[in-house]
Every structure is written in C-alpha cells, then in structure tokens.
Amino acid sequence: EVQLVESGGDLVQPGRSLRLSCTASGFIFDHYGFHWVRQAPGKGLEWVSRIGWNGGTIAYADSVKGRFTISRDSGKKSLYLQMNSLRTEDTALYYCAKVSCSASSCFLDLWGRGTLVTVSS
Amino acid sequence: EIVLTQSPGTLSLSPGERATLSCRASQSVSSSDLVWYQQKPGQAPRPLLYGASNRATGIPDRFSGSGSGTDFTLTISRLEPEDFAVYYCQQYGSSFTFGQGTKLEIK
C-alpha cells in the first residue's frame, strides 16, 4: 500500500526537543522529495520544511529556521524532523507529504495522517 | 515571502449550486506553481488541482481552476454533498506558503 506514516508526536515542555519520523511504503522512496506541513488545532495549514530527493534543496519556514532540522534516511525509507527549542506556538498536527511533479508543476500528492505535537508546561 | 489571501472565509451554498473560491497572491505567481487542496474534518489534505488548472488523480471534472499572475480561482460546477470541506491554495515556488483557507459549508 502506498502510504506515509508519521510518528514521534508527544506532549513536551517548552524549550525541550522532539524528533518526528515519517516512514514511507509502496513507492520508491529515493525518487521523491518530501515536506513537513503543520496544522495548529482549529487553524489552517502552515508549511514547515522541505527536502529534495537526494537530501539537497532543504528549506525552512522562518518560524522554525534555526530550531528545526529536516533529514532523510533512504535505508529506512524515512523522513525526519528534529525539533529543538520548542515553543508553545509549535503545538500542531504535523503532516509529512510526498512531492509529485508533472511537466513544470509540483505539488504534494500523498499525505500521512499526522502526528500530534503539544508543547505545554 | 508571498502571501496568499483566500476569499471568502466561509461560503454557504446548497448542493447543486456553483461554488467560486478565490486565491489572491501578494505578488505574481507562476500558474505552474499554484495548487489547490481539499481538507475534510479529521482527514489530511488531498490535492485537487496543480499548475492552477490540472486535476490531480481521481478528481472529478466538476472541479476546475483558472487564473494567472496574482488572481486564481477554484470553481466547483455543481456541488455534491461530499464537496463541503475546507479548501486551501498553495504556491509551490520560491516558498510553499498556503492561503488561510475557505470553508465551504452547506446552506
């Protein structure tokens, strides 16, 4: 089955760290780039980070730059998001999503179900 | 950073009616970079249109998109009960920002 499954979400105190994982199955992991997108409770979608198919072209939203690090492991078919210095405003459901490109257009064609991160004292 | 503003915030319509959702960018966006997603409660978003007007796999032809530059539109020709959801536009270009969403609700 073609799917992405996120894990690692938890309740953590402000200032602490957390690492999210996203495991892929049903397609060739090494062929695709991935993104992390988050959604605070009752709010809209916020783009967080992206990584290219070869681990390059990494980018971050300004709100997480310097605190979050995206990475991937082809052997484990997994995407990661290392989150340091967590803030209450990082509380959200975190989705990983796979990139698909057709001609000159790209978009996020496959999403996981998300993993919940709650930052609270 | 390009800011996407969607309107209206909430759209109340009945099944069978036509829905028109707007996405306006703070600066020009290439049509090839404009994407629309649908999200239902408790579900992950799913792609509807990419490159402003190309339907993603499995998307029925009642969904269409148009626009260029700073103004883009998602049109649902005849609303079905399953179309009531939240819709987001995204620019997949220099950054990957989303609009704030339009909630399409049953009138």
Side-chain angles (χ1 to χ4, degrees), chain A residues 3 14 28 37 42-43 54-55 57 67 78 90 118 121:
Chain A
Q3 64 177 354
I28 302 174
V37 176
K43 302 298 184 182
N54 61 355
T57 56
R67 300 188 298 122
S78 292
D90 295 320
T118 304
S121 54

Side-chain angles (χ1 to χ4, degrees), chain B residues 21-60:
Chain B
L21 287 66
S22 173
C23 176
R24 178 163 290 178
S26 59
Q27 55 188 281
S28 185
V29 171
S30 171
S31 295
S32 64
D33 293 341
L34 201 286
V35 187
W36 289 94
Y37 299 89
Q38 176 194 68
Q39 187 179 34
K40 296 180 180 180
Q43 296 184 16
R46 72 159 176 165
L48 292 176
L49 304 169
Y50 62 93
S53 61
N54 302 289
R55 281 185 293 276
T57 302
I59 302 303

Side-chain angles (χ1 to χ4, degrees), chain B:
Chain B
E1 177 184 293
I2 297 176
V3 176
L4 299 179
T5 302
Q6 294 186 239
S7 61
T10 301
L11 183 58
S12 300
L13 293 171
S14 300
E17 291 192 292
R18 180 185 187 92
T20 302
L21 287 66
S22 173
C23 176
R24 178 163 290 178
S26 59
Q27 55 188 281
S28 185
V29 171
S30 171
S31 295
S32 64
D33 293 341
L34 201 286
V35 187
W36 289 94
Y37 299 89
Q38 176 194 68
Q39 187 179 34
K40 296 180 180 180
Q43 296 184 16
R46 72 159 176 165
L48 292 176
L49 304 169
Y50 62 93
S53 61
N54 302 289
R55 281 185 293 276
T57 302
I59 302 303
D61 60 8
R62 64 179 181 273
F63 290 90
S64 63
S66 63
S68 63
T70 59
D71 290 293
F72 297 88
T73 300
L74 168 66
T75 301
I76 310 171
S77 59
R78 286 179 54 87
L79 286 166
E80 298 287 343
E82 62 267 27
D83 298 337
F84 292 91
V86 180
Y87 293 83
Y88 295 95
C89 58
Q90 182 197 27
Q91 67 91 17
Y92 196 104
S94 56
S95 61
F96 306 94
T97 49
F98 290 89
Q100 84 279 16
T102 290
K103 181 180 181 180
L104 178 56
E105 65 176 24
I106 298 177
K107 187 174 182 179

Side-chain angles (χ1 to χ4, degrees), chain A residues 98-112:
Chain A
K98 166 184 159 290
V99 177
S100 178
C101 295
S102 177
S104 59
S105 299
C106 296
F107 61 103
L108 303 177
D109 73 328
L110 177 67
W111 297 62

